Amino acid sequence: MSEIIDGKAFADQLSEKLTKEVAALKSELSLQPCIAVVLVGDDPASHVYVKNKVKRCEQLGIRSIEHRMEESTSQQDLLALIASLNENSDVHGILVQLPVPEHIDDKAVLAAIDPTKDVDGFHVQNMGALAVGEPGMVPCTPLGSLMLLKSVLPELSGKHAVIVGRSNIVGKPMALLLLQQHCTVTIVHSRTIDIEAHCRRADILVAAVGIPHFIKADWVKPGAVVIDVGINRIVEDGKSRLVGDVDFDAVRPKTSAITPVPGGVGPMTIACLMHNTIAAAKAQHQQS
Ligand code: GUN
């Protein structure tokens, strides 16, 4: 039997724990974790993501400050805002929603964020810390994916994990996290020869390519655990809906456990963002 991993229930449980932690920080230390969320431009998906993040903050008692900037905002103005948020000791976390408009260099933006406030874990200092096993902010989607994976497969040592996709946001940090867990890790990508053959050897298959239904049933080893990171909007029979990178209905019977879309990794990304924001607030409070 294949288990559908309920990411929403897991995220709700984690959020309940975090809500209590925020309440304790407020009453014991007069500390309210605070995140600044910066959104530049009109990307409709980004607006939905930011709205969901801000709503979750409210539910947990985390303060959120939204900065919405015009599509035409200059890189200089965005960097000036980040500099002021870096300086503001009331702000513990800074998140610039990606993608930023094309005329802005996203690498320069991420590099400008104080690494201790980088709740996305995208700064090279945090990515470097992850690579060498030092403490730092861990990117939210890979962290949430790992939590879901461990909920069905507590012992990962020696397992062969295949990650489909090599993005800085998911594929690469996921590979580093799984290496820390003593997995044998393969990353496949658009230039890989015979992706299917690699996937068929996976005990753990992580799909993060952003292509609807990319992973087919005959690519999956019987009994594998499949983590679907994709969130793709498709229109079928005139109706719009979200699907993952995995052909869920066909793949599910081959697996021992699989995450659905929606309701799998997505809710965990936001819960882990809350986790990182609280961790940042605590670390900054200790430093002050
Ligand atoms: N765009 C898509 N995913 C993410 C994310 O996790 N963080 C940010 N900042 N932007 C994104």
Side-chain angles (χ1 to χ4, degrees), residues 19 22 41 43 45 54 61 72 92 107 128 133 142-143 166 169-170 176 188 199 207 209 224 250-251 274 281:
T19 304
V22 172
D43 182 69
V54 168
S72 59
H92 307 107
K107 285 197 172 69
L143 181 58
R166 55 174 159 175
I169 293 182
V170 183
L176 294 168
V188 299
C199 290
V209 270
V251 166
M274 304 294 108

Short mmCIF file of all heavy atoms in Angstrom, two decimals, residues 19 22 41 43 45 54 61 72 92 107 128 133 142-143 166 169-170 176 188 199 207 209 224 250-251 274 281:
data_model
loop_
_atom_site.label_atom_id
_atom_site.label_comp_id
_atom_site.label_asym_id
_atom_site.label_seq_id
_atom_site.Cartn_x
_atom_site.Cartn_y
_atom_site.Cartn_z
N THR A 19 3.55 28.24 17.23
CA THR A 19 2.67 29.25 17.84
C THR A 19 2.94 29.34 19.34
O THR A 19 3.03 30.43 19.91
CB THR A 19 1.18 28.87 17.61
OG1 THR A 19 0.98 28.73 16.21
CG2 THR A 19 0.23 29.92 18.15
N VAL A 22 6.27 31.09 19.90
CA VAL A 22 6.17 32.55 19.74
C VAL A 22 5.54 33.17 20.99
O VAL A 22 6.01 34.19 21.51
CB VAL A 22 5.35 32.92 18.47
CG1 VAL A 22 5.08 34.42 18.42
CG2 VAL A 22 6.08 32.48 17.21
N GLY A 41 7.13 44.05 -8.21
CA GLY A 41 6.48 43.74 -9.48
C GLY A 41 5.13 43.06 -9.33
O GLY A 41 4.56 43.00 -8.23
N ASP A 43 4.10 39.78 -10.58
CA ASP A 43 3.96 38.34 -10.86
C ASP A 43 2.80 37.76 -10.04
O ASP A 43 2.81 37.81 -8.81
CB ASP A 43 5.28 37.63 -10.50
CG ASP A 43 5.22 36.15 -10.82
OD1 ASP A 43 5.18 35.82 -12.01
OD2 ASP A 43 5.20 35.34 -9.88
N ALA A 45 1.69 34.71 -9.37
CA ALA A 45 1.98 33.59 -8.46
C ALA A 45 2.70 34.13 -7.21
O ALA A 45 2.38 33.72 -6.08
CB ALA A 45 2.84 32.55 -9.16
N VAL A 54 2.22 35.86 4.62
CA VAL A 54 1.81 36.89 5.58
C VAL A 54 0.66 36.38 6.46
O VAL A 54 0.63 36.59 7.68
CB VAL A 54 1.41 38.19 4.83
CG1 VAL A 54 0.71 39.17 5.73
CG2 VAL A 54 2.67 38.83 4.22
N GLY A 61 1.36 34.53 15.24
CA GLY A 61 1.74 35.62 16.14
C GLY A 61 3.05 36.27 15.77
O GLY A 61 3.63 37.04 16.54
N SER A 72 8.89 48.70 -11.91
CA SER A 72 9.96 49.55 -12.44
C SER A 72 10.99 49.95 -11.37
O SER A 72 11.93 50.71 -11.67
CB SER A 72 9.34 50.83 -13.02
OG SER A 72 8.62 51.50 -11.99
N HIS A 92 13.77 40.70 12.18
CA HIS A 92 14.66 39.54 12.36
C HIS A 92 14.88 38.75 11.07
O HIS A 92 15.89 38.06 10.93
CB HIS A 92 14.09 38.61 13.43
CG HIS A 92 13.78 39.32 14.71
ND1 HIS A 92 12.50 39.59 15.12
CD2 HIS A 92 14.60 39.84 15.65
CE1 HIS A 92 12.52 40.24 16.27
NE2 HIS A 92 13.79 40.41 16.61
N LYS A 107 21.21 37.88 -7.81
CA LYS A 107 22.38 37.49 -6.99
C LYS A 107 22.82 38.66 -6.10
O LYS A 107 23.17 38.48 -4.93
CB LYS A 107 23.54 37.06 -7.88
CG LYS A 107 23.34 35.69 -8.49
CD LYS A 107 24.67 35.14 -9.02
CE LYS A 107 24.54 33.70 -9.46
NZ LYS A 107 23.72 33.53 -10.65
N GLY A 128 26.99 28.02 1.81
CA GLY A 128 28.32 27.49 2.12
C GLY A 128 28.31 26.73 3.44
O GLY A 128 28.91 25.65 3.55
N GLY A 133 28.53 21.69 6.46
CA GLY A 133 27.94 21.16 7.69
C GLY A 133 28.07 22.08 8.89
O GLY A 133 28.11 21.62 10.03
N PRO A 142 13.60 22.64 0.74
CA PRO A 142 14.33 21.41 1.02
C PRO A 142 14.19 20.94 2.47
O PRO A 142 14.03 19.75 2.73
CB PRO A 142 15.79 21.78 0.72
CG PRO A 142 15.71 22.95 -0.19
CD PRO A 142 14.48 23.69 0.20
N LEU A 143 14.19 21.90 3.42
CA LEU A 143 14.05 21.52 4.83
C LEU A 143 12.69 20.85 5.06
O LEU A 143 12.60 19.79 5.72
CB LEU A 143 14.20 22.77 5.71
CG LEU A 143 14.11 22.58 7.22
CD1 LEU A 143 15.16 21.59 7.72
CD2 LEU A 143 14.27 23.92 7.96
N ARG A 166 18.38 21.02 -10.62
CA ARG A 166 19.62 21.49 -9.97
C ARG A 166 19.54 22.96 -9.59
O ARG A 166 20.54 23.69 -9.65
CB ARG A 166 20.81 21.27 -10.90
CG ARG A 166 20.62 21.91 -12.26
CD ARG A 166 21.85 21.80 -13.11
NE ARG A 166 21.53 21.95 -14.51
CZ ARG A 166 22.42 22.00 -15.48
NH1 ARG A 166 23.69 21.90 -15.21
NH2 ARG A 166 22.05 22.13 -16.74
N ILE A 169 17.56 26.99 -5.32
CA ILE A 169 16.52 27.06 -4.28
C ILE A 169 16.17 25.69 -3.74
O ILE A 169 15.90 25.53 -2.56
CB ILE A 169 15.26 27.76 -4.86
CG1 ILE A 169 15.54 29.23 -5.17
CG2 ILE A 169 14.08 27.64 -3.93
CD1 ILE A 169 14.33 30.00 -5.70
N VAL A 170 16.15 24.68 -4.61
CA VAL A 170 15.72 23.34 -4.16
C VAL A 170 16.76 22.25 -4.44
O VAL A 170 17.27 21.62 -3.51
CB VAL A 170 14.36 22.93 -4.79
CG1 VAL A 170 13.93 21.58 -4.22
CG2 VAL A 170 13.28 23.96 -4.53
N LEU A 176 22.54 18.59 -0.64
CA LEU A 176 23.43 18.76 0.51
C LEU A 176 22.80 18.21 1.79
O LEU A 176 23.46 17.56 2.60
CB LEU A 176 23.78 20.25 0.68
CG LEU A 176 24.62 20.84 -0.46
CD1 LEU A 176 24.68 22.36 -0.38
CD2 LEU A 176 26.03 20.25 -0.45
N VAL A 188 20.05 14.82 -11.27
CA VAL A 188 19.89 14.78 -12.72
C VAL A 188 19.26 16.09 -13.18
O VAL A 188 18.57 16.77 -12.40
CB VAL A 188 19.06 13.57 -13.19
CG1 VAL A 188 19.73 12.27 -12.79
CG2 VAL A 188 17.63 13.62 -12.65
N CYS A 199 16.55 7.61 -12.45
CA CYS A 199 15.38 7.64 -11.56
C CYS A 199 15.00 6.24 -11.11
O CYS A 199 14.62 6.03 -9.96
CB CYS A 199 14.18 8.29 -12.27
SG CYS A 199 14.40 10.05 -12.53
N ALA A 207 11.40 15.33 -7.01
CA ALA A 207 11.16 15.98 -8.30
C ALA A 207 11.04 17.48 -8.10
O ALA A 207 10.16 17.96 -7.39
CB ALA A 207 9.87 15.43 -8.91
N VAL A 209 11.59 20.10 -10.92
CA VAL A 209 11.93 20.62 -12.25
C VAL A 209 10.97 21.68 -12.77
O VAL A 209 11.30 22.43 -13.68
CB VAL A 209 11.95 19.51 -13.35
CG1 VAL A 209 13.31 18.90 -13.48
CG2 VAL A 209 10.87 18.49 -13.17
N ALA A 224 9.69 2.90 -3.85
CA ALA A 224 10.40 4.17 -3.64
C ALA A 224 9.51 5.17 -2.88
O ALA A 224 8.29 5.05 -2.90
CB ALA A 224 10.82 4.77 -4.97
N ALA A 250 -0.68 7.82 -11.80
CA ALA A 250 0.01 6.66 -12.39
C ALA A 250 1.17 6.21 -11.49
O ALA A 250 1.42 5.01 -11.34
CB ALA A 250 0.54 7.03 -13.77
N VAL A 251 1.87 7.16 -10.87
CA VAL A 251 3.09 6.84 -10.11
C VAL A 251 2.75 6.27 -8.73
O VAL A 251 3.42 5.36 -8.24
CB VAL A 251 3.98 8.11 -9.96
CG1 VAL A 251 5.07 7.92 -8.91
CG2 VAL A 251 4.60 8.49 -11.30
N MET A 274 8.51 30.04 8.83
CA MET A 274 8.17 30.51 10.19
C MET A 274 9.23 30.01 11.19
O MET A 274 9.68 30.75 12.06
CB MET A 274 6.78 30.00 10.60
CG MET A 274 5.64 30.34 9.65
SD MET A 274 5.26 32.09 9.53
CE MET A 274 5.86 32.49 7.91
N ALA A 281 15.12 35.27 15.13
CA ALA A 281 14.79 36.20 16.23
C ALA A 281 15.52 35.79 17.51
O ALA A 281 16.08 36.63 18.21
CB ALA A 281 13.27 36.22 16.45
#
